[in-house]
Amino acid sequence: MNIAIFGNTYRKTTARLVVHVIHFLESQGVDIHIEPELYAAIQHKISPKAQPLSPDNGQMPDVALSIGGDGTFLTTASKIRDKNIPILGINSGRLGFLADVSSHEVETVLQDILHNNYTIEQRSLLQVITSDDSGEGYPFGLNEVAVLKQDLSSMISVDTFINNEHLHTYQADGLIIATPTGSTAYNMSVGGPLLVPQTKNFIISPVASHSLNVKPLVIPDDWEIHLKIKSRSHSYLVSIDGRSQIMQQETELTIKKAPYTIKVVKQDSHSFFNSLKSKLLWGVDKRINEK
């Protein structure tokens, strides 16, 4: 089996976990290729058998390991792109919805991977298209696309159209378009609903709306969203899974479902509902636990 490893290079705990994972996989006879930046950071701690990952080496990994937090997982997904490689998230951070394998269970889970004892969930992405082709970088988001005010004081006005029909003009600090995967991220922090990952929907959630009767809205994921933004600064911020770019207000955005999905490796014990209960304490009643 050929496994690619991606990881956060800024945390010492992550580096130690990466080295541990590499040593374990080598003991199992696995071919290992490491993302180049991560490889440079840990090369002196591993054997020469593990090599840097290169798109030109002709080998397509069977599985990619993302070692870090959910942010690392999003970065890994942006590097995997449409290569159809399943990603397993190993958590060395804090909450970990996408990176949900803890360090104490990593060897057991990796054994399951090596014996093909796992399932794959297909996760939809958002695609952002700019009216003037001014978008930079990777225009796809696994969690969300957020349109936000750039300055500190004034709100922005977001004229929102769904399938060419005017929905609403949001007066707010911003607007989030979230996938089911991203429903537990930024969307949740502004009061948006939670969706199971298999739901074929997107969520439109305002950020600090100036109107009390404007609530988050769930729409089918095959609908197209068009945004026209106005601000006093004549510019605004677009954030795609945390990757940000300043746009001029003349730039209109079209947001739709991406033409491919990200494959996420899941264990039976790591269901969405188990994660809600264990990580968000969803439905937990302290009165019952105290008895």
Side-chain angles (χ1 to χ4, degrees):
M1 178 174 278
N2 186 352
I3 291 181
I5 298 179
F6 298 79
N8 184 334
T9 60
Y10 303 105
R11 293 173 61 96
K12 291 182 179 179
T13 53
T14 300
R16 288 195 294 267
L17 183 55
V18 169
V19 172
H20 174 74
V21 167
I22 291 172
H23 289 163
F24 175 78
L25 291 175
E26 285 181 338
S27 72
Q28 304 298 309
V30 175
D31 292 329
I32 303 169
H33 291 84
I34 306 168
E35 189 271 329
E37 185 178 356
L38 177 62
Y39 181 83
I42 64 170
Q43 182 179 4
H44 61 290
K45 298 180 180 179
I46 59 176
S47 75
K49 292 181 181 179
Q51 294 295 311
L53 181 65
S54 170
D56 302 322
N57 64 11
Q59 288 188 315
M60 184 69 72
D62 300 296
V63 175
L65 305 183
S66 173
I67 304 177
D70 283 354
T72 304
F73 193 102
L74 295 174
T75 300
T76 301
S78 71
K79 293 177 179 179
I80 294 295
R81 303 195 175 192
D82 58 353
K83 295 183 177 65
N84 214 31
I85 301 170
I87 306 173
L88 173 70
I90 299 174
N91 187 19
S92 68
R94 289 170 292 181
L95 190 61
F97 256 89
L98 290 166
D100 63 351
V101 175
S102 62
S103 57
H104 72 267
E105 62 181 343
V106 65
E107 291 188 10
T108 301
V109 173
L110 289 177
Q111 284 283 11
D112 286 340
I113 298 297
L114 297 179
H115 291 91
N116 294 314
N117 183 24
Y118 60 92
T119 59
I120 291 178
E121 293 181 356
Q122 303 281 352
R123 302 293 184 93
S124 58
L125 298 95
L126 293 157
Q127 179 179 4
V128 180
I129 301 170
T130 57
S131 59
D132 55 3
D133 296 324
S134 60
E136 299 174 356
Y138 180 65
F140 300 97
L142 179 59
N143 263 2
E144 76 275 311
V145 175
V147 177
L148 304 165
K149 66 177 186 178
Q150 184 193 352
D151 53 276
L152 297 176
S153 56
S154 60
M155 299 179 296
I156 57 175
S157 174
V158 186
D159 232 358
T160 305
F161 299 81
I162 307 293
N163 290 344
N164 296 318
E165 179 180 352
H166 185 256
L167 170 66
H168 183 64
T169 300
Y170 292 91
Q171 304 289 339
D173 284 358
L175 191 67
I176 300 168
I177 315 298
T179 66
T181 299
S183 70
T184 54
Y186 196 179
N187 165 76
M188 183 180 69
S189 74
V190 301
L194 306 184
L195 301 181
V196 298
Q198 294 79 11
T199 305
K200 298 183 183 300
N201 295 105
F202 292 142
I203 311 165
I204 303 174
S205 296
V207 179
S209 173
H210 193 58
S211 175
L212 293 176
N213 60 0
V214 174
K215 304 298 182 183
L217 179 68
V218 178
I219 65 170
D221 66 3
D222 58 354
W223 288 9
E224 203 167 270
I225 303 164
H226 190 78
L227 305 178
K228 300 178 181 179
I229 299 94
K230 294 181 181 178
S231 74
R232 290 182 183 178
S233 62
H234 304 290
S235 61
Y236 61 94
L237 194 68
V238 175
S239 176
I240 305 175
D241 283 353
R243 306 182 305 274
S244 300
Q245 179 183 351
I246 296 173
M247 294 281 190
Q248 298 305 306
Q249 71 172 12
E250 293 79 17
T251 302
E252 300 177 8
L253 304 179
T254 298
I255 301 171
K256 63 181 184 178
K257 185 177 182 179
Y260 68 93
T261 61
I262 291 294
K263 289 184 173 181
V264 179
V265 176
K266 302 297 290 187
Q267 304 298 116
D268 291 339
S269 59
H270 293 169
S271 72
F272 177 73
F273 300 119
N274 284 339
S275 294
L276 283 184
K277 296 171 186 175
S278 63
K279 298 178 184 297
L280 295 182
L281 303 182
W282 187 84
V284 172
D285 190 335
K286 291 185 178 179
R287 298 169 298 178
I288 296 175
N289 292 339
E290 290 172 356
K291 292 181 179 180

